[in-house]
Amino acid sequence: EVQLVESGGGLVQPGGSLRLSCAASGFTFSSSWMHWVRQAPGKGLVWVSRINTDGSNTNNADSVKGRFTISRDNAKNTLFLQMNSLRAEDTAVYYCARESATGYNDYWGQGTLVTVSS
Amino acid sequence: EIVLTQSPATLSLSPGERATLSCRASQSVSNSLAWYQQKPGQAPRLLIYDASNRATGIPARFSGSGSGTDFTLTISSLEPEDFAVYYCQQRSNWPLFTFGPGTKVDFK
C-alpha cells in the first residue's frame, strides 16, 4: 500500500524557516518524481514544487522561488521542503504527492499545517 | 502561465441528478488535464487524467471530456459521497503545474 506521511509543520514567525518531511513507503520512491502542493485555509490547491527521481532537477512556483527548496533522500525514502523567509501568505496545509507514470498526482499524503504568524 | 477557470463556483444538486462541471484553460493544454475530488479534511483524489481516462478504482459514473481549452467533468448520477470540491489541473505547461479554483458540489 502506497503511503505518504508528512511532518514538520507548525507555528513559525514571519521571516523564519521550517523544514517539512514526507516519508514514503509502498512503492519505489527512487523511481518517482515527487511534488509539494499547498492549500491555504478555505482556499484552493496551489502547486509549489517538483523534483525528479535523483534530485538533480527541480522546479518551483514563482511565489516560492528563491525561498523554498525541494530535495530528497532516496536512501531514506524521504522528500523534503526547506522553507525560508516565510510570510503570512505561506500559511497552508502542505501536501506531498507522487507523480504517476502519466504525469499527474496519483497518491497524496494527509498534509501538514504550516502557520506563519507573530 | 496557463490559467485555469472553473464554472460554476458552486453547483447545488440532489442525489441522483447529473452534474456537469467545466474547466477552461487560457491557452491550449491539448489533453493534458486532470480532475481531482477533495472532501473536507481529506487530501485530493485523482479522478480523471489526460482529460478522459478514469484513474484506478474510480467509478464509471465519473467521466471526462474535452481537449484544447475546454473540458468537462460529468457525474452521471450523484451519490451522497460525491458531494465535494472538484479541481482541474493542467500539466501541459511543463514543468509548471497549475490548478483551477475549484467547483463545490453541494446539496440542494
Side-chain angles (χ1 to χ4, degrees):
Chain A
E1 179 194 4
V2 172
Q3 280 200 313
L4 297 169
V5 179
E6 301 95 336
S7 60
L11 176 63
V12 61
Q13 291 188 339
S17 297
L18 212 54
R19 190 194 199 201
L20 305 183
S21 299
C22 171
S25 61
F27 66 101
T28 306
F29 179 73
S30 59
S31 298
S32 294
W33 290 60
M34 297 295 296
H35 297 236
W36 288 99
V37 176
R38 68 184 181 184
Q39 186 170 36
K43 303 297 184 182
L45 302 170
V46 176
W47 176 80
V48 173
S49 194
R50 179 196 195 203
I51 189 167
N52 70 342
T53 55
D54 66 4
S56 62
N57 187 287
T58 64
N59 306 101
N60 298 290
D62 286 345
S63 58
V64 305
K65 207 165 285 185
R67 300 188 299 124
F68 290 12
T69 302
I70 187 172
S71 63
R72 65 193 297 160
D73 184 339
N74 285 343
K76 296 183 178 179
N77 289 345
T78 304
L79 177 72
F80 302 102
L81 186 67
Q82 177 67 44
M83 303 186 295
N84 299 330
S85 303
L86 283 161
R87 308 165 180 168
E89 54 265 35
D90 296 319
T91 294
V93 172
Y94 285 75
Y95 295 100
C96 67
R98 186 181 83 164
E99 182 177 319
S100 70
T102 56
Y104 301 96
N105 301 121
D106 61 347
Y107 287 97
W108 298 64
Q110 85 289 349
T112 187
L113 176 62
V114 172
T115 303
V116 184
S117 174
S118 54
Chain B
E1 180 189 350
I2 296 177
V3 177
L4 299 177
T5 56
Q6 291 186 243
S7 60
T10 303
L11 193 55
S12 297
L13 294 168
S14 300
E17 289 192 295
R18 182 184 188 89
T20 303
L21 288 67
S22 174
C23 176
R24 178 163 290 178
S26 59
Q27 62 191 79
S28 177
V29 299
S30 185
N31 71 333
S32 298
L33 189 111
W35 291 92
Y36 296 83
Q37 175 194 67
Q38 188 180 33
K39 298 178 183 179
Q42 296 185 17
R45 177 173 71 145
L46 178 64
L47 298 176
I48 301 288
Y49 66 92
D50 286 343
S52 60
N53 297 290
R54 272 190 303 277
T56 303
I58 301 304
R61 64 181 182 272
F62 292 93
S63 64
S65 63
S67 67
T69 60
D70 291 295
F71 300 87
T72 301
L73 173 69
T74 302
I75 310 171
S76 59
S77 179
L78 282 164
E79 296 288 339
E81 62 268 27
D82 299 337
F83 290 86
V85 180
Y86 293 83
Y87 296 94
C88 57
Q89 178 202 41
Q90 69 80 26
R91 68 172 188 87
S92 174
N93 191 24
W94 188 94
L96 303 180
F97 293 65
T98 49
F99 290 91
T103 290
K104 182 178 182 180
V105 178
D106 67 9
F107 288 97
K108 180 157 58 176

